[in-house]
Amino acid sequence: MISTTKATKDDETAWAYSASVGSEHLQISSSEFWYQRLRDILMPLVIGSVDLGDDVLEVGPGPGLSTDLLRARVPALTAVELDGEMAASLSFRLAGTNVEVVHADATDLPFEDRRFTGVASFSFLHHIPTEELQDQLFGEVARVLQPGGVFAAYDGMASTQIANLHAGLPYNPVDPDTVESRLLGAGFATVELQTLDLGWATIATMAA
């Protein structure tokens, strides 16, 4: 099912945020290479044996390769995607599964407080065009997480090569040195951070 929420940003910012995946970038994020990297390296490294619980939210699924892997790990998964065409495509492809696709803005989540047992995000945060909106997303994730719930996230380091894939589109990589303080400021109780060769990963936990 796809649901919608009204825009809360001005038109220019909303366009920049929703149009943040170019065709070449989309090819990569839909590729067998990226699927194998998620399956064999990133998903085990980021989540490992962490229990996300039975009602999990994914923010920024894009074409849904990470969604395919997450849905095999959890009983129920809600995937929030801002791009309308991607949301519709993902909803059609995953109809009848344990995934509900919601067409909405991850910086203004249409869910009640403390709804989810876990939240996950893979290579999405750099698409959010400002630090203010990134921090708004962190706050929204904290708001919808249950006590003791975890936020598992991965994103890439700043890179000229990756920046070139976003030519003319938002590219705002998160400085890993700021991740802990920003997540603590958003309301998380503890933050574990790993710095990788090409990216960083975190497990942030709400107070029980």
Side-chain angles (χ1 to χ4, degrees):
M1 181 178 72
I2 301 177
S3 62
T4 59
T5 58
K6 64 180 180 180
T8 57
K9 305 180 182 68
D10 63 85
D11 290 343
E12 182 178 356
T13 303
W15 175 86
Y17 182 18
S18 64
S20 60
V21 181
S23 59
E24 187 176 359
H25 186 289
L26 184 58
Q27 275 190 324
I28 293 172
S29 62
S30 304
S31 68
E32 181 65 20
F33 164 80
W34 180 241
Y35 178 78
Q36 290 178 1
R37 181 169 174 79
L38 282 168
R39 181 192 63 196
D40 300 337
I41 300 174
L42 297 180
M43 195 79 62
L45 186 66
V46 176
I47 297 178
S49 59
V50 172
D51 184 5
L52 293 174
D54 58 8
D55 190 8
V56 177
L57 172 68
E58 181 185 16
V59 292
L65 299 189
S66 53
T67 311
D68 290 330
L69 294 167
L70 284 168
R71 72 184 181 90
R73 302 174 63 110
V74 301
L77 180 64
T78 301
V80 166
E81 174 57 50
L82 182 63
D83 184 278
E85 290 185 5
M86 282 192 184
S89 175
L90 191 59
S91 181
F92 179 80
R93 181 166 71 79
L94 296 179
T97 72
N98 62 335
V99 180
E100 177 186 9
V101 179
V102 177
H103 176 209
D105 183 348
T107 70
D108 186 22
L109 292 169
F111 307 113
E112 65 272 20
D113 295 357
R114 300 186 175 190
R115 154 74 191 274
F116 295 100
T117 57
V119 179
S121 172
F122 285 86
S123 200
F124 165 64
L125 296 171
H126 66 271
H127 294 294
I128 302 175
T130 68
E131 288 191 9
E132 180 182 8
L133 286 172
Q134 289 171 344
D135 288 340
Q136 191 170 316
L137 179 144
F138 295 150
E140 281 290 274
V141 168
R143 179 183 67 79
V144 301
L145 268 171
Q146 297 176 10
V150 299
F151 175 39
Y154 166 84
D155 211 349
M157 297 289 196
S159 157
T160 300
Q161 181 181 10
I162 301 300
N164 289 338
L165 293 177
H166 295 74
L169 298 168
Y171 176 61
N172 185 32
V174 176
D175 181 348
D177 290 340
T178 71
V179 169
E180 182 176 10
S181 63
R182 292 171 71 179
L183 288 174
L184 291 174
F188 289 90
T190 63
V191 178
E192 300 176 18
L193 183 71
Q194 302 179 69
T195 302
L196 315 172
D197 288 342
L198 299 176
W200 57 268
T202 191
I203 294 288
T205 306
M206 299 297 293

